[in-house]
Each structure stands twice: as C-alpha cells, then as structure tokens.
Amino acid sequence: MKPITKVLIVLLVLLGISIAMVVYRYAQTSPLALVAEASLEPTPAPMKWLAVQSLHYFHPSAEEIADLNQQAGARYLAALPDQAEARRLLQEYQQQGLDLDAKDQQTGTGLTALQGAAIGNETAMVSLLLSLGANPLAEDAQGRTALALVEQSQRNRPDMDFSAVLALLKK
C-alpha cells in the first residue's frame, strides 16, 4: 500500500471518530443546553444546526419531558431564533407529553411558559405559545393570569411598551 493511501485511511478513521464523538456529545446533552447552544450568537452555524437536529433525533426522553415540565421548559423551546423550527419542536415535544401550561416548580414562581414570555415582553413567543394552545387563563403560584402579570409589569415598568403582548392576551 502506498504511503499516501495509508495517510488517507488514517485521516478518514480520525474523521469518523471525531464525528462519532460530536454525535455522542449532542445525544447526551440536555434539551435546554441544546436550545442554548442553538440560540447563542457566538455558536458557529454548523453547531447550531447540529444542536437543533439533535433536539429532533435524540430527544426527548420521558425524563427530559418531565424535567422540561418542571421548568416550564416550553418557553425555552419557543425561544429558538427560527420560529418555524420552534413551532415544529414544540409540536413534537407536545406529542411526547410536554405541557405548555406546566408551572415552573424549580424557581418557585409557578409561572407557565406563556406567563414568562408575557412578562418578558416577548411578543413572538407569546403568539407562538397561544397558537399552540397555551392557556392564557392559567394562574401562577399567586393566582395571577398572564394578562394580570403583564398589566402589573406595565404599571411597574412604564418605560416598556407591552401593548403588543397585551393585545395578544386580550384576544
């Protein structure tokens, strides 16, 4: 065998091993970490693409759905920059048991994904969650709906314009 052939075989084997390591890493990474990687600006485009593909092909497990529901994790999936991709993932995860109205039990706020997006003044996310069936009448740990929370936020932060979110919630 020629030396160049041996070098090419070694390089192909190393490339295969590298690809396998990357795939394994993404398969073992939590959905929330993958969403963060897919959303962060400094992440190179191919890595963002791999993160999103991993969300489809390696996830979610039943344990991951339970974890997402404990954290009102639908909000994080809805935060993906590509809204069409966010919709597709949310629909897939809903079929696996993701509850759009799950309350965040990790922080003690009891906020749903919709409530968190609403008080964050995230119009596109609020619109997406509502279109997928999030309940605008769900209450947080203190009995407040998304609308009540946004109205309170508007009073507390008069410098911010919550009118688009308010209009969505009043439909």
Side-chain angles (χ1 to χ4, degrees):
M1 194 179 314
K2 293 182 180 181
I4 190 74
T5 306
K6 289 179 183 179
V7 169
L8 287 175
I9 290 172
V10 168
L11 288 175
L12 285 174
V13 168
L14 290 174
L15 179 62
I17 291 170
S18 297
I19 290 170
M21 289 173 60
V22 168
V23 168
Y24 179 78
R25 175 184 167 262
Y26 280 96
Q28 299 302 312
T29 302
S30 75
L32 291 181
L34 290 170
V35 166
E37 188 160 335
S39 302
L40 295 175
E41 216 31 62
T43 304
M47 302 309 270
K48 287 182 180 191
W49 181 84
L50 279 172
V52 170
Q53 298 314 305
S54 296
L55 286 166
H56 288 291
Y57 296 108
F58 301 126
H59 305 281
S61 68
E63 291 170 0
E64 290 168 334
I65 289 294
D67 185 47
L68 286 168
N69 285 338
Q70 288 279 319
Q71 300 177 52
R75 180 170 184 213
Y76 304 106
L77 292 169
L80 284 168
D82 181 343
Q83 286 290 288
E85 191 65 55
R87 173 180 296 282
R88 189 171 139 212
L89 275 166
L90 282 166
Q91 289 171 328
E92 285 178 23
Y93 281 40
Q94 274 184 292
Q95 291 174 357
Q96 299 295 321
L98 180 69
D99 181 2
L100 294 181
D101 298 321
K103 296 179 181 184
D104 185 342
Q105 298 171 19
Q106 298 287 330
T107 64
T109 62
L111 293 177
T112 66
L114 178 63
Q115 292 165 342
I119 62 175
N121 205 19
E122 299 162 3
T123 307
M125 194 182 306
V126 168
S127 178
L128 175 59
L129 290 166
L130 286 170
S131 73
L132 291 173
N135 181 3
L137 301 177
E139 296 179 348
D140 71 354
Q142 297 177 359
R144 300 170 296 184
T145 64
L147 180 59
L149 287 163
V150 173
E151 289 172 340
Q152 180 182 350
S153 294
Q154 183 70 70
R155 287 190 301 276
N156 293 342
R157 297 185 267 174
D159 56 310
M160 289 185 70
D161 180 13
F162 286 86
S163 60
V165 170
L166 284 167
L168 287 170
L169 293 172
K170 289 180 179 180
K171 283 185 180 181

